[in-house]
Amino acid sequence: MLTEPLPYALETLRFPFPALAALAGRLPLGGGREVALASLLVARLAQGVAGGDTLPAAERASRAAGAKVWLASLALPATTRVPFARCVESTTGTPLQVAGALRSLVAAAGAHLDGPSVQELERLARQLAGS
């Protein structure tokens, strides 16, 4: 059995939010699924601010503008609509601002998400706060 990768083999890609994607796939159509999809979108946007993977400011602003339009089309619960919007807007700022917005989003939407999904968002918030 080989223990080291072959020199021509590609590095295995790892999707950073498997619990959020799995939750969105398994929930029935409606509010819960839309909260999970919106959380996945916000997590992907926030990841563009984290660590060495930082996207240019113009790209982050463009992504945030598109995400706002998409979020407006969702039937999100009233208590989560503002935290999602703030989180999307924060992705044009500093990692610390995004971490704070993610934490308030988890507090507002945590009841609609399962444990592993909440842990993924909290891990991302800790990563952003440490940046």
Side-chain angles (χ1 to χ4, degrees):
M1 177 162 210
L2 293 173
T3 57
E4 57 185 69
L6 298 172
Y8 52 82
L10 297 175
E11 188 176 318
T12 303
L13 295 177
R14 296 189 55 117
F15 184 67
F17 309 109
L20 278 169
L23 178 66
R26 117 179 130 248
L27 288 174
L29 294 176
R33 176 181 257 182
E34 294 195 357
V35 169
L37 286 171
S39 298
L40 182 58
L41 169 81
V42 166
R44 296 289 304 223
L45 288 174
Q47 188 181 25
V49 182
D53 297 339
T54 305
L55 293 172
E59 179 69 24
R60 287 186 288 146
S62 172
R63 290 174 65 181
K68 283 185 212 176
V69 172
W70 185 76
L71 280 176
S73 71
L74 296 179
L76 295 170
T79 57
T80 63
R81 193 167 287 282
V82 171
F84 274 116
R86 283 189 185 142
C87 205
V88 167
E89 290 171 4
S90 73
T91 62
T92 61
T94 66
L96 198 54
Q97 290 171 330
V98 179
L102 267 177
R103 287 187 176 115
S104 58
L105 174 67
V106 168
H112 301 280
L113 302 172
D114 62 355
S117 299
V118 169
Q119 288 176 351
E120 285 178 351
L121 292 173
E122 288 174 346
R123 185 177 344 120
L124 180 59
R126 283 193 306 274
Q127 179 186 0
L128 287 163
S131 303

